[in-house]
């Protein structure tokens, strides 16, 4: 099977070498995506319904896993299948995990499947056998009330802790026997749909409607369409698989529980978090071409903007978290991230009408932020725990575990970007006065930042209340080069910042939240013998999403072969190769240092939205380098193709149903890009490619719809179908500043070697004695 899958992908790559990029078919695509669990391996897997629920199971096991989880209570936990009255023993089967569930093949020739149905509030179970046999499926329930049968439907009333009815319907007549739904006559296939509803009638109608169609086939086709609206197939097959899984895992978190939104993580961050949502949005919904969903998420968050009267200190902000119990606004960066992603959405789609809606959000935001938080230098002040490093000590004063107030470096990059975006939005609305004011304030913030944070060699992570510079080495400084759409800092400063952060923090498996040489570094996240887990949360522990902006920064300066090694290692995490994580996803965190056997230990949530979203974004925006700018009528590329890629084919969506097909290969010392525009109007393409010395050259030309053209690139030279193009410098080389970059070698874990592990709750004591600097 594996050889057949690899051959299918190899064939798709061969087809991609023609002018048109071809995608594999539905079955070949999912055969290649399937993650096969090792015999007997009990590994977690998850699937989402894109409404308000998810399924958690474990391979080769019936008992572990939460089942189909809703906030209203879990009813369905798992299932068993039978052939001729004999149960299939899952621990003996060959189990594969897929984006929508799993598939288990048995020695008797039978196959069982569970498929969670997107936006249906239901799941489908199927057992097949090569010869007609008496097939049966037994749902395993966590809780159940009264169970009754209404002709072709078995109805389960809500039990303890649940409010949903569950209706079970089959695609052929069945008899209920010892909790099983058994087909009345021998058959090769039995499909059962378990549908849920707030009333018995709603659940029953849903189950009958779904089972009358082809629920599993429909879900496979719908998932295939969602995952291949954009498409990237490189010469590295393992990467292709990890990338498709990152896209699928990101899709899992797109829900409608509180209106359109993106959950932050599983199992305990099942709310719409402002910051998390908008960091995850480009990798989840923009590079994948799900533009209508992106617009809906932005519009939904906008309706929660704080517009209270009389105005309070959070006036104009969008929430930090939206949940059934409360809406809270304690985030300084949520609204800047939202404005950034609103603008990025507009750049992808050209949706100028939405620009007017976002201008309406920008006005109260800037009124509140300028009145309450802007300082005399034009920078944005904030509470100590209102950045993404937001953990607080559980004491009466809730002091920060990682104080970043009152002026953190990433917040200033976001503030500058928000002001610049706001000025553009104001111009689109014809408000030239606000546009000028906000753009002037952005310029002031940029000048002040460089003067106050940068000393010529080291970038401060924050300015303390007394104005002194906190120079702890954290990854936040990399966002100074990656958040803004233009240069917030001079290129040479960005280069030095990239060198400093990468040389100090970047391991082969992720970037640490604090230097391992810092006295407050915590080598393990959950280490109860020494400290509360939140002490380590942002003080060494690795965050998956931070790898995203790390790759962006490295690729900008031509260090894609180092970032590619990181990406490959993250891909192994997604595919469950050498790590005990969730198959097909990424955790929130990893311990900073490997354990004694070299094993990496995931921590935090077992599946985190922005971790996988950033992995997906890197593929399209940072390696292929596609960043459309439709307000400027430009399809912009700033690629950084790893040496490990000999070729790739891509389909890149933008605009209103438009698509750019790309075929790339290396030949005779040059890169050859073949573009085919699938749209209705000509488009300008701007290419800024890397030269051998890590500088970038740029050329611009026009694409006509339907006509394939080939761009050949070498050092400072470009031709289009053999015709020489004008070339200019886009970015000088900073290799002389950055030099050679290598991964940091992780220190050996010996508690006595780390100051924070030489006693119990050492950091807490420092904080509570007000000694933290």
């Amino acid at each position: 099977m594996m050889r057949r899958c690899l051959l299918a992908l190899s064939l798709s790559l061969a087809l991609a070498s023609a002018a048109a990029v071809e995608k594999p078919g539905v079955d070949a695509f999912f055969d290649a995506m399937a993650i096969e669990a090792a015999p007997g391996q009990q590994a977690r897997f998850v699937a989402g319904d894109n409404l308000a629920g998810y399924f958690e199971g474990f391979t080769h096991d019936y008992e572990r896993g939460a089942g189909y989880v809703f906030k209203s209570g879990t009813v369905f936990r798992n299932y068993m299948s039978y052939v001729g009255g004999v149960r299939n023993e899952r621990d003996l089967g060959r189990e594969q995990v897929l984006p929508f569930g799993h598939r288990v093949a048995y020695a008797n020739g039978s196959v069982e499947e569970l498929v969670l149905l997107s936006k249906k509030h239901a799941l489908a179970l199927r057992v097949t056998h090569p010869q007609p046999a008496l097939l049966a499926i037994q749902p395993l329930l966590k809780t159940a009330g009264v169970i009754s049968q209404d002709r072709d439907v078995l109805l389960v009333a809500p039990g303890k802790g649940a409010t949903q009815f569950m209706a079970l319907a089959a695609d052929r007549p069945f008899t209920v026997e010892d909790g099983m739904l058994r087909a009345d006559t021998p058959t090769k296939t039995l499909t059962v749909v378990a549908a849920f509803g707030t009333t018995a009638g709603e659940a029953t109608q849903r189950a009958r409607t779904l089972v009358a169609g082809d629920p599993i086939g429909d879900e496979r086709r719908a998932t295939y369409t969602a995952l291949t609206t954009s498409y990237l197939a490189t010469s590295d097959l393992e990467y292709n698989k990890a990338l498709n899984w990152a896209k699928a895992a990101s899709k899992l978190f797109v829900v409608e529980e509180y209106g359109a939104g993106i959950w932050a993580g599983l199992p305990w961050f099942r709310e719409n978090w402002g910051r998390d949502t908008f960091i995850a949005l480009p990798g989840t919904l923009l590079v994948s071409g799900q533009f209508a969903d992106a617009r809906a998420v932005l519009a939904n968050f906008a309706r929660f903007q704080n517009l209270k009267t009389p105005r309070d200190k959070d006036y104009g902000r969008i929430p930090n978290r939206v949940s059934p119990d409360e809406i809270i606004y304690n985030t300084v960066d949520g609204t800047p991230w939202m404005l950034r992603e609103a603008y990025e959405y507009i750049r992808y789609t050209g949706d100028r009408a939405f620009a007017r809606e976002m201008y309406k959000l920008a006005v109260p935001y800037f009124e509140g932020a300028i009145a309450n938080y802007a300082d005399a230098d034009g920078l944005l002040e904030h509470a100590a725990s209102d950045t993404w490093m937001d953990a607080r000590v559980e004491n009466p004063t809730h002091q920060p575990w990682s104080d970043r107030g009152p002026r953190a470096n990433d917040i200033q990059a976001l503030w500058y970007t928000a002001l610049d975006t706001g000025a553009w939005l104001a111009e689109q609305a014809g408000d030239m006065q606000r546009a000028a004011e906000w753009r002037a304030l952005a310029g002031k913030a940029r000048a002040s930042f460089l003067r106050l944070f940068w000393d010529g060699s080291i970038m401060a992570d924050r300015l303390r209340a007394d104005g002194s510079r906190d120079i702890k080495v954290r990854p936040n400084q990399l966002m100074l080069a990656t958040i803004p759409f233009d240069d917030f800092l001079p290129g040479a400063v960005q280069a030095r910042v990239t060198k400093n952060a990468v040389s100090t923090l970047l391991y082969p498996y992720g970037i640490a939240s604090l230097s391992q040489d810092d006295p407050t570094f915590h080598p393990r996240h959950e280490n109860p013998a020494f400290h509360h887990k939140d002490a380590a949360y942002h003080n060494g522990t690795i965050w998956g999403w931070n790898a995203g902006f790390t790759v962006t920064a490295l690729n900008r300066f031509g260090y894609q072969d180092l970032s590619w090694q990181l990406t490959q290692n993250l891909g192994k995490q997604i595919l469950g190769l050498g790590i005990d994580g969730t198959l097909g996803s990424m955790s929130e965190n990893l311990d900073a240092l490997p354990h004694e056997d070299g094993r990496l230990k995931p921590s935090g949530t077992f599946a985190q939205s922005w971790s996988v979203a950033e992995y997906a974004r890197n593929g399209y925006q940072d390696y292929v380098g596609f960043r459309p700018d439709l307000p400027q009528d430009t399809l912009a590329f700033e690629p950084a193709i790893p040496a490990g890629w000999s070729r790739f084919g891509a389909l890149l969506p933008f605009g209103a149903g438009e698509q750019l097909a790309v075929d790339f290969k290396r030949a005779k010392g040059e890169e050859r890009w073949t573009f085919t525009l699938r749209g209705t109007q000509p488009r300008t393409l701007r290419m800024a490619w890397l030269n051998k010395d890590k500088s970038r050259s740029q050329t611009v030309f026009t694409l006509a719809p339907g006509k394939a053209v080939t761009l050949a690139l070498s050092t400072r030279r470009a031709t289009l179908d053999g015709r020489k193009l004008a070339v200019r410098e886009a970015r000088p080389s900073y290799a002389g500043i950055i030099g050679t970059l290598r991964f940091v070698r992780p220190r050996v874990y010996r508690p006595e070697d780390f100051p924070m592990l030489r006693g119990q709750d050492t950091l807490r004591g420092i904080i509570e004695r007000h000694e933290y600097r």
Side-chain angles (χ1 to χ4, degrees):
M1 174 66 76
M2 179 58 70
R3 180 172 294 176
R4 189 171 77 234
C5 296
L6 296 182
L7 287 172
L9 276 185
S10 297
L11 176 60
S12 74
L13 283 171
L15 291 171
S17 67
V21 177
E22 298 291 339
K23 299 181 292 189
V26 176
D27 290 343
F29 182 78
F30 288 121
D31 283 348
M33 270 195 78
I35 299 175
E36 186 159 338
Q41 179 189 12
Q42 294 188 0
R44 179 185 282 113
F45 66 94
V46 290
D49 69 7
N50 300 123
L51 288 172
Y54 71 96
F55 179 84
E56 180 201 10
F58 278 77
T59 57
H60 298 118
D61 191 84
Y62 301 112
E63 301 300 326
R64 298 178 70 188
Y68 191 7
V69 178
F70 313 111
K71 282 194 174 70
S72 56
T74 300
V75 178
F76 180 92
R77 183 172 56 80
N78 212 314
Y79 73 103
M80 297 175 177
S81 68
Y82 296 77
V83 178
V86 178
R87 188 175 78 188
N88 285 319
E89 299 296 340
R90 192 169 294 165
D91 60 334
L92 301 178
R94 178 187 174 197
E95 186 161 2
Q96 294 179 323
V97 174
L98 292 156
F100 31 71
H102 79 155
R103 176 175 61 205
V104 189
Y106 294 97
N108 63 9
S110 66
V111 175
E112 66 180 23
E113 297 172 84
L114 178 148
V115 174
L116 200 59
L117 305 179
S118 176
K119 298 192 176 183
K120 298 294 191 296
H121 212 47
L123 57 85
L125 308 170
R126 181 166 67 188
V127 57
T128 61
H129 192 266
Q131 301 299 325
L134 287 176
L135 304 180
I137 291 174
Q138 180 181 4
L140 304 177
L141 308 183
K142 181 175 182 180
T143 184
V146 175
I147 299 177
S148 58
Q149 188 168 356
D150 178 13
R151 296 174 293 138
D152 58 340
V153 171
L154 188 68
L155 185 67
V156 180
K160 183 178 180 181
T163 62
Q164 298 276 312
F165 287 84
M166 181 177 74
L168 296 158
D171 64 346
R172 61 197 67 249
F174 66 88
T175 299
V176 179
E177 183 179 279
D178 297 328
M180 296 183 293
L181 281 71
R182 179 178 57 79
D184 287 345
T185 59
T187 180
K188 291 184 177 182
T189 180
L190 171 65
T191 300
V192 172
V193 167
F196 299 82
T198 55
T199 66
E202 181 184 38
T204 297
Q205 182 59 45
R206 184 171 285 144
R208 284 176 173 153
T209 300
L210 288 169
V211 83
D214 179 15
I216 291 178
D218 289 346
E219 186 62 29
R220 286 171 65 89
R221 287 184 287 271
T223 303
Y224 171 82
T225 297
L227 296 183
T228 60
T229 297
S230 69
Y231 183 66
L232 174 59
T234 76
S235 50
D236 189 301
L237 302 184
E238 185 175 282
Y239 171 70
N240 300 344
K241 184 172 180 174
L243 177 64
N244 286 326
W245 266 107
K247 292 170 69 177
S250 299
K251 176 180 176 291
L252 178 159
F253 295 99
V254 181
V255 292
E256 297 179 1
E257 192 166 15
Y258 316 112
I262 301 174
W263 279 344
L266 297 176
W268 53 73
F269 289 148
R270 286 158 48 211
E271 298 95 8
N272 297 347
W273 292 71
R275 173 192 306 117
D276 301 54
T277 292
F278 297 112
I279 290 172
L281 188 139
T284 302
L285 298 175
L286 295 185
V287 303
S288 62
Q290 308 303 309
F291 302 138
D293 286 342
R295 193 184 205 275
V297 169
L298 287 157
N300 186 54
F301 247 97
R303 72 188 179 96
F304 294 111
Q305 186 178 26
N306 181 347
L307 299 175
K308 297 174 185 176
T309 54
R311 298 180 179 185
D312 60 19
K313 64 182 178 62
D314 295 327
Y315 179 77
R317 286 182 172 182
I318 57 102
N320 182 34
R321 187 177 76 244
V322 177
S323 72
D325 304 319
E326 61 180 350
I327 299 174
I328 57 175
Y329 294 90
N330 61 327
T331 172
V332 65
D333 52 349
T335 317
W337 270 116
M338 180 178 177
L339 286 170
R340 185 194 190 278
E341 291 318 313
Y343 184 42
E344 190 165 24
Y345 160 78
I346 295 165
R347 287 165 69 104
Y348 264 84
T349 63
D351 188 352
R352 290 181 180 271
F354 194 66
R356 291 190 287 274
E357 295 302 310
M358 289 297 98
Y359 168 71
K360 295 175 185 177
L361 180 137
V363 171
Y365 167 65
F366 287 119
E367 287 179 353
I370 291 169
N372 296 313
Y373 295 104
D375 67 11
D377 294 307
L379 301 176
L380 194 66
E381 295 190 339
H382 53 87
S385 295
D386 278 4
T387 77
W388 77 272
M389 290 185 163
D390 55 2
R392 297 173 184 263
V393 180
E394 292 181 358
N395 64 16
T397 56
H398 300 291
Q399 294 159 284
W401 282 110
S402 310
D403 191 337
R404 300 196 66 232
R407 291 179 288 182
N409 58 16
D410 54 311
I411 300 306
Q412 308 316 316
L414 281 162
W415 174 235
Y416 165 80
T417 304
L419 286 164
D420 199 48
T421 296
W424 184 86
L425 294 170
E427 289 168 349
Q428 305 311 299
D431 187 345
M432 298 306 172
Q433 180 177 342
R434 282 197 175 98
E437 291 172 358
W438 294 343
R439 188 157 279 123
L441 186 54
K444 181 178 182 180
R446 175 162 54 184
S448 296
F449 182 89
L450 190 62
R451 172 172 52 85
L452 296 171
F453 279 75
W454 178 246
D455 68 356
S457 60
I458 296 175
M459 180 61 68
D461 183 63
R462 63 159 178 150
L463 300 182
R464 301 185 183 93
D466 62 6
S468 61
R469 300 167 63 253
D470 181 349
I471 58 171
K472 288 184 178 64
V473 184
R474 298 186 181 275
N476 306 302
Q477 59 190 298
L478 290 171
M479 286 188 269
L480 304 176
T482 63
I483 287 174
F485 292 102
D486 61 2
D487 285 331
F488 178 51
L489 299 175
V493 177
Q494 294 180 47
R496 176 65 70 177
V497 162
T498 300
K499 175 184 175 68
N500 291 350
V502 168
S503 299
T504 307
L505 300 171
L506 185 59
Y507 302 124
Y509 45 84
I511 190 163
S513 51
L514 182 66
S515 167
Q516 65 181 4
D517 298 319
D518 191 283
T520 57
F521 174 79
H522 290 65
R524 291 185 179 171
H525 184 189
E526 298 180 15
N527 207 357
F530 297 101
H531 55 76
H532 188 281
K533 65 181 182 180
D534 283 352
Y537 205 29
H538 302 104
N539 290 313
T541 299
I542 287 169
W543 288 72
W545 79 274
N546 287 185
F549 59 73
T550 303
V551 169
T552 303
L554 286 169
N555 286 17
R556 168 170 290 192
F557 293 107
Y559 288 81
Q560 68 272 19
D561 289 329
L562 181 68
S563 66
W564 173 236
Q565 294 177 58
L566 172 62
T567 295
Q568 288 178 298
N569 292 333
L570 296 174
K572 292 182 187 301
Q573 294 178 32
I574 292 171
L575 299 178
L577 302 175
I579 187 169
D580 185 19
T582 300
L583 297 180
S585 193
M586 287 177 68
S587 61
E588 180 184 19
N589 307 114
L590 293 175
D591 282 353
L593 302 185
H595 286 238
E596 288 76 5
D597 57 0
R599 180 175 52 89
L600 302 176
K601 184 178 184 300
S603 63
T605 63
F606 59 67
Q608 186 78 357
S609 174
W610 57 14
S611 298
V612 284
E614 280 291 89
Y615 189 91
R617 184 189 65 79
N618 286 151
Y620 289 88
Q621 289 192 350
D622 297 317
Y623 289 116
V624 175
F626 183 57
R627 295 171 180 261
D629 186 1
L630 293 199
Q632 298 298 318
D633 190 31
T634 299
L635 303 180
F637 282 82
E638 191 172 317
I641 311 301
W645 293 13
S646 60
R647 66 187 315 147
F648 70 80
L651 297 174
L652 308 173
F654 65 93
E658 294 179 85
Q659 195 178 59
L660 184 64
V662 181
D663 172 59
F664 169 92
K665 61 183 178 182
R666 288 192 171 93
K668 298 179 180 178
E670 65 180 14
E671 295 181 354
R672 300 181 66 84
W673 297 69
T674 299
F675 298 101
T676 306
L677 178 62
R678 299 174 181 177
T680 59
Q681 59 180 308
R683 294 288 187 181
T684 298
L685 191 147
R686 184 178 72 234
M687 171 66 76
W689 73 98
L690 282 164
N691 297 308
K692 291 181 179 179
D693 64 356
K694 301 187 187 301
S695 65
R696 285 190 181 271
S697 296
Q698 179 174 296
T699 193
V700 179
F701 58 92
T702 300
L703 287 173
K707 181 184 178 183
V709 296
T710 298
L711 176 69
L713 302 173
S714 55
T715 296
R716 296 176 181 83
R717 186 177 187 275
T719 63
L720 187 68
D721 289 339
R723 176 175 55 87
K724 189 175 180 181
L725 295 176
V727 172
R728 69 173 184 84
E729 182 178 84
R731 184 181 295 274
S733 173
Y734 293 102
I737 293 174
I738 297 175
T740 300
L741 292 178
R742 298 181 180 86
F743 290 121
V744 175
R745 183 176 181 178
R747 292 173 61 180
V748 175
Y749 178 80
R750 288 189 294 264
E752 64 271 18
D753 291 346
F754 299 96
M756 294 298 101
L757 305 187
R758 293 174 187 164
Q760 181 73 34
D761 292 325
T762 302
L763 181 59
R764 179 171 183 154
I766 291 170
I767 291 169
E768 292 182 339
R769 292 191 302 272
H770 302 284
E771 296 172 358
Y772 183 87
R773 291 289 291 167

